[in-house]
Structure formats: C-alpha cells, structure tokens
Amino acid sequence: MRRLCLARDLLRAEDDARPSVNEIARRAGFAPHHFIRLFRAVFGETPHQYRSLAQIERAKHLLILTDLSVTEICLEVGFSSLGSFSTLFTRRIGMSPSTWRRRHRSASSPLRKMPPELIPGCLTLMGGFPPEKAISEKPV
C-alpha cells in the first residue's frame, strides 16, 4: 500500500518532469501492467485517469485564482492540446473551463480566493477549531 501511495503522489506531482506511468511503476517496484491493475483496484481508476483528474483539479483552482488564459492554464497543468483539455474538463466537470471561471469567480472581490463550497470539508473542519480544542492523543 505504501508503494501505491508513493506512486499516487508522483502522479499528482506538479513539477515539469512528469514521469510516465511505466517510470512510476518502476520507481514503486511494480511491473507496469501489475501496477495499473493494483492501482485501479485500490483507487478506483487507472493511473492515467488519476493524473488527468489531478490536472483538472489544479486547472479549476488556476481558473479561479489567476488571470491566466484557458490556453495558458491548459499548458501549465500539463496538457499539450487545448481541445483535449477542454473536452476532458467539460466531460469531468460538466461545463467548459470558461464557464467554470465565470460561475465560480467573484467579480466583486479584488483578492481572489477559493469559494467556501469548493474547499474540501475536512480542511474547513481542521481550520475551524482553536488548537486548545483539538483532539489530542494524550490522556487528559
């Protein structure tokens, strides 16, 4: 499981040197076909599907938080074709990147931030409690 989580982290990496699925399988110590089968069984999608979804999630944030064009965001998240990026974005999210930007970006706020409904609940819970109220492993 630890090796699969390492591979998942490599698939989500945002650096310029995005390793291939075969390279990630090798780094995690798996044969490529076995790695793909295990990854799908554990995470519910293939490594390629997982990487694509991670790229789309990053694009969603960039569409809201930056003034980059859709084409620039497409290239920034690792796609080489605007058409394939827009098609995948629309298929996964249900609207085009431009529509996503218009719908979720607040025009009245000069400081851009993620709308609360787009922030994962676990993060809002973690940030909502003062440290003295946090659950501790120490006995009281």
Side-chain angles (χ1 to χ4, degrees):
M1 189 64 172
R2 191 178 84 238
R3 293 185 298 160
L4 284 173
C5 289
L6 166 71
R8 182 191 58 193
D9 293 343
L10 290 171
L11 286 166
R12 188 173 274 280
E14 297 176 3
D15 58 2
D16 291 333
R18 290 182 180 92
S20 68
V21 172
N22 288 342
E23 174 64 20
I24 291 171
R26 188 189 64 71
R27 286 188 196 178
F30 296 108
H33 293 300
H34 184 62
F35 167 66
I36 293 169
R37 237 184 349 266
L38 281 175
F39 194 93
R40 185 175 194 154
V42 171
F43 297 112
E45 53 196 358
T46 66
H48 179 71
Q49 290 168 332
Y50 185 85
R51 176 179 275 164
S52 295
L53 184 57
Q55 290 170 302
I56 294 297
E57 289 299 317
R58 184 157 181 255
K60 286 168 47 177
H61 287 86
L62 291 174
L63 286 164
I64 293 172
L65 300 174
T66 71
D67 288 324
L68 296 173
S69 71
V70 173
T71 302
E72 291 170 317
I73 290 172
C74 161
L75 298 172
E76 176 69 25
V77 299
F79 284 87
S80 57
S81 163
L82 179 60
S84 62
F85 167 72
S86 294
T87 299
L88 182 63
F89 191 98
T90 302
R91 191 176 336 126
R92 286 284 194 140
I93 306 305
M95 63 186 81
S96 71
S98 299
T99 303
W100 169 266
R101 174 177 266 170
R102 281 191 303 275
R103 181 168 292 172
H104 293 290
R105 188 187 246 183
S106 173
S108 62
S109 174
L111 297 174
R112 301 233 169 84
K113 57 185 179 181
M114 290 300 289
E117 65 271 11
L118 298 178
I119 299 172
C122 60
L123 293 179
T124 58
L125 288 175
M126 288 172 22
F129 294 107
E132 61 274 3
K133 300 273 187 183
I135 297 173
S136 173
E137 292 183 8
K138 298 177 194 172
V140 181

